[in-house]
């Protein structure tokens, strides 16, 4: 009897302190407006901890925490939703510290949603992997501190905001978790201009 009681307590505590969002819910939230995101997360006991209005240079964002400590800024998990009033840009990212949850998300991304690994980049604070499929990109950051970050965005947003010349490549933290700068027109135009030049050169060679 005591054994079963311990199992029940363990399951209850695990549910209480583990964040309760699926990867599919995050995908749906990315396409939602601010009100829908707030109401959905609040209904699942996520607490709004920060909000920023969009400016000419920065995107707007709202951040939520799950099981946030009353004594400091720590929490079981964080979600950040990024939006723009002047474009269709929508991003959503989640920060977790559970290896089990990370593996569950990754399995869903690869095996069910069907995304393929596009690139892997190693830097001082961890590994950044990018998975892509039709219409959507997942940027997965694994840090040595056992923190995991998953950001969901449109393919076009990813290529315009992140995939440039190596010397101009925007840092992942800037893209999602820090200032979230608006895509500069010069960088975006340069990317598409270079692509167009390559197409023209190919035609000339033919």
């Amino acid at each position: 009897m005591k054994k079963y009681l311990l199992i029940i307590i363990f399951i209850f505590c695990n549910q209480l302190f583990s964040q309760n969002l699926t990867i599919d819910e995050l995908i749906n939230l990315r396409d939602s407006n601010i009100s829908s995101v707030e109401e959905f997360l609040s209904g699942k006991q996520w607490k709004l901890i920060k909000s920023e209005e969009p400016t000419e240079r920065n995107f707007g964002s709202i951040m939520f925490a799950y099981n946030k400590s009353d004594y400091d800024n720590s929490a079981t998990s964080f979600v950040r939703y990024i939006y723009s009033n002047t474009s269709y840009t929508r991003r959503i990212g989640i920060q977790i510290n559970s290896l089990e949850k990370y593996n569950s998300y990754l399995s869903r991304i690869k095996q069910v949603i069907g995304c393929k690994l596009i690139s892997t980049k190693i830097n001082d604070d961890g590994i950044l992997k990018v998975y892509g499929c039709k219409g959507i990109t997942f940027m997965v950051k694994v840090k040595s501190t056992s923190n995991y970050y998953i950001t969901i965005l449109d393919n076009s947003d990813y290529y315009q905001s992140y995939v440039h010349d190596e010397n101009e490549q925007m840092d992942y933290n800037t893209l999602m978790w820090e200032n979230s700068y608006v895509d500069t027109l010069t960088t975006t135009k340069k990317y598409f201009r270079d692509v167009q030049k390559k197409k023209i050169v190919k035609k000339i060679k033919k």
Side-chain angles (χ1 to χ4, degrees):
M1 183 66 183
K2 288 183 178 180
K3 181 179 178 181
Y4 291 117
L5 183 61
L6 287 172
I7 292 174
I8 292 172
I9 293 173
F10 173 78
I11 293 173
F12 174 78
C13 291
N14 187 55
Q15 291 178 341
L16 180 64
F17 293 104
S18 297
Q19 69 85 5
N20 54 0
L21 293 177
T22 67
I23 198 71
D24 298 272
E25 287 173 330
L26 288 169
I27 292 172
N28 290 332
L29 283 177
R30 189 188 67 85
D31 291 327
S32 302
N33 57 37
I34 299 172
S35 298
S36 298
V37 172
E38 183 277 322
E39 291 172 4
F40 182 85
L41 291 176
S42 294
K44 283 182 165 284
Q45 307 305 310
W46 288 74
K47 182 179 180 181
L48 177 67
I49 59 171
K50 188 177 182 181
S51 60
E52 298 175 331
E53 285 188 294
T55 65
E56 291 183 0
R57 183 165 174 75
N58 293 348
F59 290 124
S61 71
I62 50 177
M63 182 175 282
F64 295 80
Y66 187 77
N67 191 32
K68 186 180 180 302
S69 170
D70 293 329
Y71 304 102
D72 54 33
N73 292 324
S74 63
T76 300
S77 188
F78 295 92
V79 163
R80 190 179 191 194
Y81 171 85
I82 286 177
Y83 68 97
S84 170
N85 285 340
T86 58
S87 71
Y88 293 106
T89 299
R90 295 287 186 275
R91 300 171 188 162
I92 195 165
I94 187 166
Q95 176 188 342
I96 56 177
N97 55 21
S98 166
L99 178 60
E100 181 182 1
K101 196 71 177 180
Y102 162 74
N103 287 330
S104 173
Y105 280 168
L106 200 58
S107 175
R108 183 78 179 173
I109 290 169
K110 296 195 303 184
Q111 298 179 16
V112 180
I113 300 175
C115 291
K116 304 296 182 183
L117 181 66
I118 296 174
S119 67
T120 303
K121 182 179 179 181
I122 298 177
N123 51 34
D124 293 337
D125 64 343
I127 300 172
L128 174 62
K129 300 181 292 182
V130 179
Y131 294 87
C133 45
K134 187 176 181 181
I136 195 167
T137 297
F138 296 86
M139 300 181 72
V140 180
K141 182 71 176 284
V142 181
K143 300 188 72 171
S144 55
T145 54
S146 297
N147 287 326
Y148 309 92
Y149 301 79
I150 298 178
T151 298
I152 307 170
L153 63 165
D154 282 337
N155 290 344
S156 58
D157 184 15
Y158 168 71
Y159 281 103
Q160 290 177 22
S161 304
Y162 193 81
V163 182
H164 305 302
D165 182 82
E166 283 294 324
N167 295 325
E168 299 183 31
Q169 195 172 74
M170 186 178 288
D171 179 74
Y172 173 68
N173 288 329
T174 302
L175 177 74
M176 184 64 204
W177 292 102
E178 291 179 359
N179 295 321
S180 302
Y181 288 111
V182 174
D183 312 335
T184 59
L185 287 176
T186 53
T187 306
T188 303
K189 286 180 179 178
K190 179 183 181 302
Y191 172 74
F192 286 107
R193 187 169 62 245
D194 290 345
V195 171
Q196 192 63 30
K197 283 181 179 178
K198 290 179 182 179
K199 290 181 179 178
I200 293 172
V201 170
K202 286 183 179 179
K203 287 183 179 179
I204 294 173
K205 288 183 177 179
K206 289 181 180 179

